[in-house]
Amino acid sequence: MFEKGNRANTSHGILLIALFSFAAMYIADTPFIKGLSLSPLIVGIILGMIYANSLRNKLPEPWTPGIKFCTKQILRTGIVLYGFRLTLTDVAAVGIPAVIVDLIIVVGTIILGVILGRIIKMDRETALMTSVGSSICGAAAVLGAEPVVKCESHKTAVAVSTVVIFGTISMFLYPILYRAGILDGMTDQMVAIYTGATLHEVAHVAGAGNAMDPTDALGIAGTATITKMIRVMLLAPVLVVMALILVRKRQKQSGVKEGKTKITIPWFAFGFVAIIFVNTFLQGIFDAPTVKDIPLNSTIEYIDTFLLTMAMTALGTDTSIDKFKQSGSKPFMLAALLYIWLVCGGYFITKGIILAFA
């Protein structure tokens, strides 16, 4: 990729994605897009898809390795740095009930997604990617799962698209349910945990939480975000378990004997966890009230967002409308079924678990 004689072309591909990503960061910071709570990652994949369906065929072929570099190495670096957004203190702040609710939602959504995927006869890779995106942390989870599942880029983009659509619906739906009194059967703590445990993206949780509790006077916005970040922490163990299960399935399909197939361990997931511990240590050293108060945290978060935006943009550049047509309506059907599970099942799970600990 960076061999002598090809470094310039690879760098040109990376630079192209970087320029798109700068544009995505700028667009995401505009008042209108901010109001929709669309993250730079989502804007990035949209820009990439626009490019894929317009000027992509004019891209010099030698630049392609640079784009692949963004979907692999830069992606993994971004996932590792994502750990700087979390500390173990966040987990302690919301307590065991929120952790249990998150565990049930994450595990239940993935298992249900795989089962439903088989029932509606969609390909296993897209079903798994869609389920992971719905269960953990949206686009970031889909990106994290991509190196483990080893699916085609357009399948990753399709999974991200489902997250965007249904997560955005929830961001507007939950505040409406709250204002209409439909969630009156829940305490404010329950509403917060319910929101954090069932919405797709961190940005969606922040948007819905702020709409219900603009000043965080009721503790909804803050608790919802922390609950969501606990789900993000579950990304690492989920990826490791997925890697172990997938390699065994591949062994059976290929007829390879036990121990003959190399297991792809997502080492970047361990890096992600290690960074969380480092961040917790730094929070203690600097006596920072929140993760945002840790020195240089904001800078690292900005860099990380940019790297993940580059990865999303690069994936978008390989996603044409024709590939979406090949995927058909089944991924969106699966995402819709999982959405019903999250909204309805999440309500009763949250309420039941918290009442059990009351």
Side-chain angles (χ1 to χ4, degrees):
M1 187 175 290
F2 282 99
E3 297 86 359
K4 190 175 180 180
N6 196 43
R7 292 172 188 166
N9 286 321
T10 300
S11 298
H12 287 154
I14 295 173
L15 180 60
L16 175 68
I17 299 301
L19 291 174
F20 270 114
S21 301
F22 275 120
M25 297 283 281
Y26 176 80
I27 293 170
D29 201 40
T30 59
F32 176 73
I33 300 299
K34 266 189 171 181
L36 296 176
S37 290
L38 293 180
S39 68
L41 282 70
I42 305 305
V43 177
I45 197 169
I46 292 172
L47 291 181
M49 289 169 67
I50 291 173
Y51 177 75
N53 291 281
S54 55
L55 301 174
R56 181 68 168 84
N57 59 348
K58 295 184 179 180
L59 177 77
E61 190 59 33
W63 291 20
T64 302
I67 295 177
K68 296 295 182 185
F69 179 82
C70 294
T71 63
K72 304 293 183 184
Q73 285 80 359
I74 286 182
L75 162 61
R76 292 167 188 177
T77 302
I79 294 296
V80 171
L81 293 180
Y82 204 85
F84 277 108
R85 304 170 192 236
L86 309 166
T87 66
L88 297 178
T89 309
D90 295 335
V91 179
V94 295
I96 297 299
V99 176
I100 294 176
V101 172
D102 278 342
L103 279 169
I104 294 173
I105 292 295
V106 169
V107 175
T109 304
I110 293 175
I111 293 175
L112 181 62
V114 172
I115 294 172
L116 290 174
R118 289 178 180 174
I119 292 174
I120 62 177
K121 297 180 179 179
M122 65 182 292
D123 74 274
R124 185 186 65 188
E125 294 172 339
T126 306
L128 189 54
M129 296 288 278
T130 302
S131 303
V132 170
S134 297
S135 66
I136 304 177
C137 53
V142 175
L143 285 175
E146 194 269 342
V148 176
V149 180
K150 297 179 179 177
C151 65
E152 297 165 277
S153 297
H154 74 274
K155 292 181 181 179
T156 303
V158 168
V160 169
S161 298
T162 64
V163 167
V164 175
I165 292 171
F166 290 100
T168 302
I169 291 172
S170 287
M171 186 179 65
F172 293 106
L173 176 64
Y174 280 39
I176 291 172
L177 296 176
Y178 181 73
R179 299 296 177 197
I182 297 175
L183 301 181
D184 282 352
M186 286 182 155
T187 63
D188 289 332
Q189 182 197 27
M190 289 179 183
V191 171
I193 293 175
Y194 170 55
T195 302
T198 58
L199 264 71
H200 298 65
E201 289 268 354
V202 175
H204 295 148
V205 173
N210 288 331
M212 290 185 279
D213 186 17
T215 62
D216 202 24
L218 303 174
I220 294 177
T223 302
T225 302
I226 293 172
T227 302
K228 176 63 182 177
M229 297 314 282
I230 293 174
R231 278 171 74 195
V232 175
M233 288 182 180
L234 295 175
L235 177 62
V238 165
L239 292 181
V240 173
V241 172
M242 278 175 52
L244 295 173
I245 292 174
L246 288 174
V247 76
R248 291 192 177 185
K249 286 193 173 183
R250 287 165 185 154
Q251 284 177 341
K252 289 181 180 179
Q253 290 174 352
S254 62
V256 178
K257 292 182 179 180
E258 190 85 18
K260 293 289 185 179
T261 300
K262 184 180 178 182
I263 297 177
T264 304
I265 298 295
W267 295 109
F268 62 91
F270 290 99
F272 169 76
V273 173
I275 290 296
I276 293 174
F277 278 93
V278 170
N279 214 29
T280 305
F281 178 68
L282 292 175
Q283 185 181 30
I285 287 180
F286 293 105
D287 195 25
T290 69
V291 68
K292 299 275 186 189
D293 298 307
I294 300 173
L296 298 178
N297 180 276
S298 296
T299 302
I300 294 172
E301 184 174 330
Y302 184 87
I303 293 171
D304 179 50
T305 299
F306 182 73
L307 293 177
L308 290 176
T309 301
M310 286 184 68
M312 290 291 282
T313 304
L315 287 170
T317 61
D318 196 34
T319 307
S320 64
I321 292 175
D322 289 337
K323 290 180 179 178
F324 259 92
K325 289 179 179 178
Q326 289 174 17
S327 300
S329 61
K330 289 182 179 180
F332 296 93
M333 186 188 305
L334 173 61
L337 293 171
L338 291 178
Y339 180 66
I340 294 171
W341 147 256
L342 288 170
V343 174
C344 300
Y347 176 89
F348 293 106
I349 290 169
T350 303
K351 197 170 180 179
I353 294 296
I354 294 178
L355 287 175
F357 277 84

